[in-house]
Amino acid sequence: MGRPASTRLAQIAAPMAALLCLVAGTGHAAAHALPTPANLFAQAEAAKTDNHPRFLHILKQLQEEQYHLLPKQRWHLRYLQAYQAAFAGNLAEAGPMMRDIIAHSGDKILAAKASAMLINILTRGRHYQQAYVLANKLMEALPNITDAETHAVVLEQIVQMLSFAGQYSQALQYAQQLGSGHIPLKNRCKADTYSITALFMADKLTSRTYALRKAIDLCLAGKEMVYANTLRLDKAYILKEEGHAGQAITLLDRIAPSIRKTGFQHHIAKLHSTLAQIYLSQADDIEAK
């Protein structure tokens, strides 16, 4: 599905209900020119990780027109709002929102995606036992999740939780499912990232591992900067552990603008914590502080 330019989106000021009436009454040309709510939701989902500023712009549009949305679309909007809260590091806000969607939306696909994101939120909040229990439930439900996108989202979080739980072999098995078959470049980047993350947490990577370099290049080619930065932060940490402090600092300084631009709070925190650890290892307390 094509995505209108952000400048065009910014110019759309009429209420969404009026837009829909206009589209219905002015023929095919208007239908192609004006985004429907369904189009906006699709664009928001596509932009979450590869163009987060655009995602925020579309989210703002949807929020401004939320009272014109159908009930199912309002729950989808709530999911996107919860996603953004988690992305910005507001885990205490995001968790209850995801639980509300799971319990009350009545949408099995959306509830499964919210459950997957709740695993991520619980893990980042160090609530590992709750996350592991939820991951086990989703593993049981996985064969019945037929929507391809939702299946992939659930798999991703299962892989991450298994990695945190130290079950690296099982994590890699699920990660291989993510990367099976002919899949788009964006999906290949994500699949490879979760496989590499499992290897990283199992301490089976070096800074020279070909699969790591290949995955970084793949994500950069697909403009999936959140995933590319995940891998590059891991590489910087590995360089530090290998005693290559200078190379690690150079890499972190190089990717810092990208990390700040995406605004993913977890990466911003990891950038600073890794730099602090490096400077501490060099007895540079001033820079570390």
Side-chain angles (χ1 to χ4, degrees):
M1 183 181 295
R3 294 187 291 183
S6 59
T7 51
R8 177 176 297 176
L9 287 173
Q11 294 167 354
I12 298 172
M16 193 169 292
L19 288 180
L20 294 178
C21 292
L22 183 62
V23 171
T26 55
H28 294 293
H32 286 294
L34 299 172
T36 65
N39 287 339
L40 289 175
F41 278 113
Q43 292 166 24
E45 290 284 357
K48 282 189 303 187
T49 55
D50 70 351
N51 191 341
H52 199 69
R54 178 177 173 78
F55 168 76
L56 291 176
H57 179 79
I58 299 170
L59 180 60
K60 181 180 178 182
Q61 277 192 285
L62 289 168
Q63 289 173 159
E64 289 172 349
E65 302 300 335
Q66 60 183 302
Y67 297 110
H68 300 291
L69 298 175
L70 298 172
K72 184 174 181 178
Q73 292 171 329
R74 290 186 189 179
W75 280 112
H76 194 171
L77 173 58
R78 187 161 178 80
Y79 169 78
L80 295 179
Q81 291 170 325
Y83 175 92
Q84 172 54 28
F87 193 93
N90 299 325
L91 304 184
E93 177 185 350
M97 292 173 72
M98 290 297 183
R99 292 184 190 278
D100 187 32
I101 293 164
I102 295 165
H104 301 117
S105 70
D107 186 328
K108 291 183 179 180
I109 290 177
L110 196 61
K113 291 170 69 174
S115 296
M117 286 307 304
L118 184 56
I119 291 174
N120 181 281
I121 291 165
L122 290 169
T123 301
R124 288 166 58 192
R126 302 182 183 275
H127 303 296
Y128 299 121
Q129 184 174 357
Q130 294 180 48
Y132 190 67
V133 169
L134 184 53
N136 276 321
K137 289 181 180 179
L138 281 181
M139 280 189 275
E140 293 176 2
L142 194 60
N144 297 320
I145 299 175
T146 56
D147 179 74
E149 179 197 354
T150 305
H151 193 275
V153 170
V154 171
L155 263 179
E156 290 168 1
Q157 298 308 320
I158 288 174
V159 170
Q160 183 164 294
M161 186 62 247
L162 289 170
S163 297
F164 270 99
Q167 299 185 28
Y168 308 118
S169 177
Q170 195 175 5
L172 285 170
Q173 289 177 10
Y174 277 100
Q176 287 168 1
Q177 293 182 41
L178 277 169
S180 62
H182 298 287
I183 58 177
L185 181 61
K186 288 163 66 79
N187 293 5
R188 175 64 61 187
C189 155
K190 295 176 183 179
D192 285 2
T193 298
Y194 283 99
S195 294
I196 292 296
T197 298
L199 292 171
F200 170 72
M201 298 190 72
D203 200 22
K204 293 184 177 180
L205 287 180
T206 74
S207 60
R208 297 173 299 281
T209 299
Y210 173 72
L212 173 59
R213 184 172 75 251
K214 180 183 176 183
I216 291 172
D217 291 343
L218 189 68
C219 292
L220 290 173
K223 297 182 180 179
E224 285 286 348
M225 300 312 299
V226 170
Y227 289 89
N229 288 337
T230 294
L231 296 169
R232 294 192 290 187
L233 283 164
D234 287 348
K235 183 175 181 178
Y237 182 88
I238 293 169
L239 285 167
K240 174 186 75 72
E241 292 296 291
E242 291 175 345
H244 306 304
Q247 293 180 45
I249 292 172
T250 298
L251 174 57
L252 291 170
D253 286 344
R254 179 159 55 86
I255 67 176
S258 173
I259 289 173
R260 295 190 182 101
K261 183 178 179 180
T262 60
F264 186 22
Q265 187 60 38
H266 179 66
H267 282 175
I268 294 172
K270 192 170 182 179
L271 169 69
H272 291 298
S273 66
T274 305
L275 280 169
Q277 290 175 47
I278 294 170
Y279 287 124
L280 280 173
S281 70
Q282 296 180 320
D284 191 339
D285 295 344
I286 294 176
E287 285 295 332
K289 183 180 290 186

